[in-house]
Amino acid sequence: MGNETSSSAYRESRTRETGGGGSSATSTAASSTGSTSSRASQGSSSSAPPGAYSVPGSQRRQAQFYVTVPAGIRAGQEFPVIANGQQLMVRCPPGIRPGERIVVSAPRPNSNTQAYMATVPHGVRSGEQFPVLVNNQQLMVTCPPGVRPGMQVRIMVPTNRGASSQQPRNSTGRGPQPPGPSSSASSGASGGGGGGAGDDPSRSPFGSQMFEVNVPQGVRPGQAFALIANGQRVMVTCPSNARQGMKIRFQLPIKLSSDEIQSIKLNYQKDGWIRSLSTDLTFHWVRSETATAAAAAVDGDKPPADDEPPADPQPAAEGWTFEKIAFVRDLKALQPAAAQPKGTAANFTIELVPAQEAALSTVVPAINNGTSLAQELSRYAAMPFQHKEAWFRQQIAKLQVPWEEGHIKINIRRENLLEDSMEAIESIAHADMRKIFRFEFIGEPGVDAGGVAREWFQLVSDTLFNPDFALWSYSSINQMCMQINPSSGIANDEHLRYFHFTGRLLGKALFDRQIVAGHLVRPLYKHILGWPLTIEDLEQLDNDTYANLCKLKDLDDVEVCCLDFTVTEDHWGTAQTIDLKPNGANIPVTNDNVDEYIQLQMRYRLLDRVKDQVKALLVGFYDVVPEALLSVFDFQELELLLCGLPEIDMEDWKNNTDYSGDYEAKGAKHKVTRWFWEVVHDDFDEEHKARLLQFVTGTSGVPAQGFRALQGNDNNIRKFTINSIPETVSVFPKAHTCFNRIDLPLYDSKKKLKKFLTMAIQMEATGFDID
């Protein structure tokens, strides 16, 4: 009943939503002394039943602002102000003196437009037009009455949220301020792919580039002249307000050759895989033998000097060992998103494909007018984590639906938290998942100003990832991390709805900068990012199978194991045999087909046995966050974004650390271990401390009981351990995540320890330095 009521209320509320866009700003604003009116949110009463309610945007067309009357202004005189992002001329009311505050009303902007500010160029008078560039498009703006050169004017440009790109309107007093001197103007270029409009067939998928040139002698306004720009000959028309010798600007589509396109890469310095752009503007994974210090150290070569940059990755040689084989999940929609039923993953397929065959689109239609983000992704993927996150937040801001266009109110009963939350979130339309959510616990007086939302995300994720609910189970090597329970369907008939809800929960948490309680196993983070999965990823899902598969390569004759192409699953006490290939029970594993057997085991355990659950989770996640925007992050950074940086008690960490090898006798007083703790405590920020935890324990999470409760893969307490190894064995620290142990070389200087420890935790090159 509760679900039917909430879903019905959500649908009815949506039909009442207005298409709400305000009109453009007027050139004057009447002063008033009235206070702002309050607005009652529909469906927000605590008496409303559980569910999600779509609340229409504000019906009030005027917004009110306080402004201070400038010095020298007398009653009846007008002065310019910026209110609600608009430039207005305000008349000083009678009896008001300079320095006093008055209230002005400004029309709300149209929801289908975006405001920009532009500076009127030198020599432009009221009524004359001047060109500006907005989103790589040229607009002609008419200078409003009373506005002089050097003053800023506000222009309104149509947006393309949720739709294909539109032609910008030429609106009086609209346009962003172009960079450069105020005397500059813009000009369209004809021929050679000049400054194209939004639907110009010559428009580049990489956007446009702006150029600046002086108007040649003898060229009059309206006359075209030729020049060479970006290696091509173009014809530029002199603007009507430009004169000889003045600087003007024009834009050309960015055109890249096939070689230039294929040189755009996402190099994460992890796992030996990089993404390379193809001419179809999709990224594809390429295996590389990265010439990093880690690889050199393993081979016994001299590591690079402090000022020596790592070499560019080179293509790998043919004939990789089975450890280098990788698969990527391939999620495909069977029909357009608009035609897909709400809250279902039934219209998607998912399978593992060889990593080189996986493709990632670089276009997000609602961002940058649908141009490719490849160059931005390549640039930011190589930047520090803080810069990546800042760029990601900028893109998310472009996708978020403004409060004025409506929001979602979610009513939840605390005593029925998980079910009410699932039904409410699943009832929300795909297009509304990027609206602002406001939460209310029924019967409680709290108003959601952010705190209720934080509590909801924490409580729901904590309950959802509880193994007692049977959707999730612990990692085979770390009880801080959760993996999908292959038998979830037996315990819960609606398990796929819950996994779709989980995807939306995680995506919305990332979208809204919220933190969730559950840490996932590494393969699931890789599924979300579309990263290559290798045999090492099996360890977190099934440590016994991983160890047994690794041993097969060391046997002279694998037939002594009496294996066939089947797996046996235990579903709540019932054994079930599953063929890895047709007639698998009758096909023995031999030296000739052992590689195929290992690959089929990888396919089955990394995806096939939880295929439907993973598909539902991914579809729910991408309902909120576009996959392309995630590609700047690696799987460790995604965990930090979703779970937050842990609050690490350094004294607790240090006091609950064991030492072995040459460090055992002196412990924390050994020269090298003392350097280690000094680097971690004094030189590492919270991000690097979290990465060190990820490197050694497999997750950034810390048990609620502190470091004394760290567990190993056998579910027994295994404290953080620092073990010594000779520097001749490895110049890099090595991690054993099953035992929460770091092998720390016996360095001869603190500087060297800091250098190689930092490189190790940032690269985490699986196969080099993690067992």
Side-chain angles (χ1 to χ4, degrees):
M1 288 293 293
N3 178 35
E4 294 174 1
T5 303
S6 64
S7 299
S8 175
Y10 174 76
R11 290 193 297 270
E12 291 173 4
S13 181
R14 289 193 72 228
T15 62
R16 295 194 296 268
E17 289 192 54
T18 61
S23 59
S24 299
T26 59
S27 59
T28 62
S31 63
S32 68
T33 57
S35 61
T36 58
S37 61
S38 62
R39 176 173 55 85
S41 297
Q42 300 183 24
S44 63
S45 171
S46 60
S47 62
Y53 299 86
S54 181
V55 183
S58 173
Q59 301 302 310
R60 185 161 49 85
R61 306 301 341 141
Q62 296 286 321
Q64 294 178 326
F65 302 88
Y66 284 103
V67 299
T68 301
V69 178
I73 298 296
R74 299 188 300 271
Q77 286 187 329
E78 291 187 344
F79 60 94
V81 298
I82 301 295
N84 199 26
Q86 310 174 57
Q87 176 179 286
L88 308 173
M89 296 303 295
V90 178
R91 182 176 293 107
C92 181
I96 300 298
R97 297 185 298 273
E100 294 186 348
R101 293 204 308 170
I102 62 174
V103 178
V104 299
S105 297
R108 293 186 181 274
N110 192 311
S111 62
N112 294 321
T113 60
Q114 186 171 355
Y116 296 89
M117 302 303 298
T119 299
V120 178
H122 176 73
V124 174
R125 299 188 297 271
S126 297
E128 292 185 342
Q129 289 191 329
F130 61 95
V132 297
L133 289 179
V134 181
N135 291 334
N136 289 324
Q137 300 179 34
Q138 177 180 282
L139 299 178
M140 296 303 296
V141 178
T142 302
C143 181
V147 176
R148 300 182 300 276
M151 294 179 60
Q152 285 194 323
V153 296
R154 177 177 179 268
I155 63 175
M156 303 297 295
V157 179
T159 61
N160 63 335
R161 182 184 293 117
S164 58
S165 59
Q166 306 173 28
Q167 284 283 354
R169 289 200 310 262
N170 286 3
S171 304
T172 300
R174 291 184 57 87
Q177 177 183 355
S182 59
S183 62
S184 66
S186 303
S187 173
S190 61
D199 56 356
D200 193 320
S202 65
R203 177 171 173 262
S204 167
F206 297 103
S208 300
Q209 182 177 1
M210 187 166 59
F211 296 86
E212 189 175 77
V213 65
N214 291 323
V215 177
Q217 294 292 324
V219 174
R220 298 185 302 275
Q223 185 176 353
F225 59 94
L227 54 83
I228 301 296
N230 200 26
Q232 54 185 314
R233 182 178 184 273
V234 296
M235 298 296 297
V236 179
T237 302
C238 180
S240 59
N241 61 335
R243 299 183 299 275
Q244 298 178 20
M246 284 183 58
K247 289 183 178 180
I248 63 172
R249 294 176 181 178
F250 63 95
Q251 59 180 350
L252 293 175
I254 297 175
K255 295 184 178 181
L256 302 180
S257 66
S258 296
D259 290 341
E260 289 173 323
I261 290 175
Q262 294 172 12
S263 69
I264 298 175
K265 302 181 186 300
L266 303 182
N267 193 343
Y268 304 96
Q269 297 293 335
K270 283 185 188 292
D271 284 4
W273 290 89
I274 63 174
R275 274 178 163 138
S276 180
L277 190 66
S278 300
T279 53
D280 62 356
L281 303 185
T282 61
F283 277 116
H284 294 263
W285 288 104
V286 177
R287 178 72 188 180
S288 66
E289 294 297 340
T290 309
T292 60
V298 170
D299 294 336
D301 296 333
K302 179 182 177 181
D306 290 346
D307 57 351
E308 181 181 346
D312 291 333
Q314 301 297 324
E318 295 295 330
W320 304 327
T321 60
F322 80 101
E323 293 91 344
K324 299 281 184 76
I325 295 173
F327 299 99
V328 173
R329 60 101 189 109
D330 185 26
L331 181 70
K332 291 182 178 178
L334 298 178
Q335 57 182 331
Q340 295 165 11
K342 178 178 59 181
T344 179
N347 291 287
F348 289 83
T349 62
I350 189 171
E351 63 177 340
L352 285 182
V353 299
Q356 298 90 332
E357 297 179 12
L360 172 69
S361 173
T362 61
V363 175
V364 178
I367 295 179
N368 292 358
N369 293 320
T371 57
S372 172
L373 296 173
Q375 291 174 303
E376 284 190 75
L377 294 173
S378 176
R379 182 166 64 254
Y380 282 96
M383 289 188 177
F385 174 63
Q386 294 87 344
H387 294 172
K388 294 181 185 181
E389 184 181 11
W391 175 84
F392 177 76
R393 294 301 170 195
Q394 291 174 357
Q395 309 313 309
I396 290 298
K398 299 176 184 178
L399 298 174
Q400 188 169 56
V401 179
W403 176 270
E404 292 78 11
E405 295 185 22
H407 65 280
I408 302 296
K409 182 67 182 293
I410 298 176
N411 291 344
I412 302 297
R413 294 171 296 181
R414 191 178 290 271
E415 66 274 14
N416 201 38
L417 175 70
L418 194 57
E419 183 180 356
D420 283 0
S421 298
M422 188 274 286
E423 296 290 359
I425 298 300
E426 285 296 277
S427 73
I428 299 174
H430 176 279
D432 288 343
M433 284 301 298
R434 293 171 185 168
K435 287 184 176 180
I436 297 172
F437 284 12
R438 287 292 181 261
F439 296 89
E440 179 180 328
F441 288 106
I442 295 175
E444 300 182 17
V447 177
D448 188 8
V452 180
R454 284 194 297 272
E455 182 184 13
W456 181 83
F457 277 100
Q458 181 70 28
L459 292 176
V460 170
S461 58
D462 188 58
T463 306
L464 187 63
F465 289 108
N466 190 328
D468 293 340
F469 196 59
L471 293 177
W472 299 85
S473 59
Y474 292 120
S475 164
S476 68
I477 63 172
N478 190 333
Q479 291 207 353
M480 285 294 296
C481 297
M482 309 305 297
Q483 64 173 314
I484 294 174
N485 182 358
S487 302
S488 60
I490 299 176
N492 190 326
D493 291 338
E494 292 196 301
H495 70 128
L496 295 183
R497 291 189 70 206
Y498 274 99
F499 279 107
H500 186 264
F501 163 63
T502 302
R504 285 189 161 194
L505 174 77
L506 296 176
K508 189 62 176 173
L510 182 59
F511 195 89
D512 289 349
R513 291 192 176 188
Q514 297 290 348
I515 300 300
V516 295
H519 294 259
L520 306 181
V521 291
R522 184 173 63 204
L524 282 177
Y525 289 125
K526 287 189 172 184
H527 278 316
I528 293 173
L529 296 174
W531 268 54
L533 294 152
T534 64
I535 193 167
E536 286 84 6
D537 292 307
L538 278 180
E539 183 181 25
Q540 296 198 4
L541 304 176
D542 190 332
N543 186 43
D544 292 337
T545 298
Y546 167 71
N548 291 334
L549 291 178
C550 290
K551 291 176 182 177
L552 289 180
K553 298 300 292 185
D554 298 328
L555 297 177
D556 293 331
D557 185 4
V558 299
E559 292 189 55
V560 299
C561 297
C562 300
L563 298 173
D564 55 35
F565 280 75
T566 64
V567 294
T568 302
E569 291 278 17
D570 181 5
H571 291 289
W572 302 95
T574 302
Q576 181 180 359
T577 300
I578 300 171
D579 285 342
L580 293 175
K581 61 186 296 186
N583 197 34
N586 298 317
I587 303 176
V589 178
T590 66
N591 288 352
D592 294 331
N593 61 19
V594 65
D595 281 339
E596 179 189 11
Y597 173 75
I598 292 174
Q599 292 187 44
L600 290 175
Q601 282 276 7
M602 289 176 60
R603 287 178 177 273
Y604 176 75
R605 299 190 181 276
L606 291 172
L607 180 65
D608 288 351
R609 67 173 178 168
V610 290
K611 175 184 293 187
D612 292 335
Q613 295 96 316
V614 171
K615 179 175 67 172
L617 186 147
L618 295 182
V619 171
F621 196 102
Y622 300 143
D623 280 349
V624 190
V625 181
E627 182 183 357
L629 298 185
L630 299 170
S631 61
V632 296
F633 301 112
D634 60 47
F635 48 86
Q636 290 177 316
E637 291 167 337
L638 181 59
E639 181 185 27
L640 297 181
L641 287 170
L642 287 171
C643 302
L645 293 173
E647 295 182 4
I648 298 176
D649 185 334
M650 286 302 302
E651 287 303 313
D652 177 53
W653 190 356
K654 189 174 180 180
N655 293 336
N656 287 283
T657 294
D658 289 338
Y659 302 88
S660 59
D662 288 0
Y663 303 142
E664 184 173 6
K666 293 185 177 180
K669 296 181 179 180
H670 191 283
K671 177 178 63 176
V672 176
T673 57
R674 187 176 70 251
W675 291 338
F676 173 86
W677 290 118
E678 287 174 356
V679 168
V680 175
H681 186 276
D682 300 332
D683 298 334
F684 280 9
D685 57 16
E686 295 304 312
E687 178 204 337
H688 283 81
K689 292 174 185 175
R691 285 182 176 270
L692 176 59
L693 275 179
Q694 289 176 322
F695 177 67
V696 181
T697 70
T699 177
S700 62
V702 179
Q705 302 91 338
F707 283 89
R708 62 184 175 85
L710 280 180
Q711 293 181 330
N713 64 329
D714 55 1
N715 297 329
N716 293 319
I717 298 298
R718 289 190 179 272
K719 292 184 178 181
F720 188 90
T721 302
I722 303 178
N723 177 60
S724 68
I725 58 172
E727 195 174 349
T728 54
V729 173
S730 173
V731 73
F732 280 84
K734 301 182 69 176
H736 305 261
T737 55
C738 291
F739 310 109
N740 300 325
R741 189 182 85 206
I742 180 172
D743 289 344
L744 189 65
L746 290 159
Y747 296 111
D748 55 16
S749 72
K750 179 180 175 181
K751 180 180 178 182
K752 186 181 293 186
L753 182 150
K754 178 182 176 181
K755 171 186 175 181
F756 291 113
L757 179 62
T758 303
M759 292 178 66
I761 65 175
Q762 289 179 336
M763 291 188 300
E764 195 208 332
T766 301
F768 298 152
D769 47 18
I770 289 186
D771 286 357

